[in-house]
Amino acid sequence: MTRVWKWNRPVTVREVLEDLQQERSIAYTTVMTVLDNLHQKGWVRREAEGRAYRYEAVSTRAAYAAALMNDAWSQSDNPAAALVAFFGMMSEEQRGALRDAVRIVQGPETAEPVREPEPVREPREPEPAEPERAEPATAPTAENGGSGGSGASTGGAGENPASASEGGGR
């Protein structure tokens, strides 16, 4: 399959044989048998060309790798643990490719921004705290520590005298 994917076009047994013979000695019938087996399994399709066939990959190498990963993952009794172990084996470059792939699959509408690690920053001086705001004064009542309906008030001119004399809290 590597040779078929490499050329990304229909190939003959003779072309694959000549390419393989640059690395090792191999028989024509061996290459023909392997390509025929790949055809029987559905990995390549073939078209007759004279007395020979031209073989072409049915799927890309990436799709083949994805199918292998999916098969291995689906056979795990703990898929999450399998993914964690797999991601742990990846290089930083591979993890970057994974982040890019997730962005592509999610699309621009649903993609959440990937959080990159925050850069280490020098400590800063703390900013001064804002002064506390004073709460408006209320008439003392039995509930807030006052004596009740005494009419004594710490409030200003805008206080309602009826509420202060009734002793009811707010």
Side-chain angles (χ1 to χ4, degrees), residues 55-143:
Y55 295 88
E56 182 177 20
V58 170
S59 66
T60 65
R61 187 177 206 148
Y64 173 74
L68 285 177
M69 289 186 286
N70 187 54
D71 186 47
W73 184 52
S74 66
Q75 291 181 26
S76 173
D77 61 343
N78 187 343
L83 284 174
V84 169
F86 179 64
F87 297 155
M89 294 178 196
M90 294 175 133
S91 68
E92 187 55 41
E93 181 179 324
Q94 290 169 321
R95 284 191 292 274
L98 176 64
R99 283 189 292 273
D100 293 343
V102 168
R103 283 187 203 111
I104 290 167
V105 170
Q106 288 179 337
E109 295 88 33
T110 60
E112 292 185 23
V114 176
R115 291 185 180 186
E116 297 296 329
E118 291 290 327
V120 177
R121 296 182 183 169
E122 295 297 320
R124 300 185 318 178
E125 291 293 321
E127 294 184 22
E130 289 187 28
E132 290 187 28
R133 294 183 184 159
E135 294 293 321
T138 59
T141 64
E143 292 174 0

Side-chain angles (χ1 to χ4, degrees), residues 8 45 51 133 139:
N8 197 27
R45 63 178 150 258
R51 293 179 43 198
R133 294 183 184 159

Side-chain angles (χ1 to χ4, degrees), residues 8 23-24 26 29 45 50 88 94 96 142 147 166:
N8 197 27
E23 299 170 14
R24 62 183 177 185
I26 189 167
T29 53
R45 63 178 150 258
Q94 290 169 321
S147 60
E166 292 172 7

Side-chain angles (χ1 to χ4, degrees), residues 139 153 155-166 170:
S153 172
E159 182 173 297
N160 182 351
S163 64
S165 64
E166 292 172 7
R170 291 187 189 169

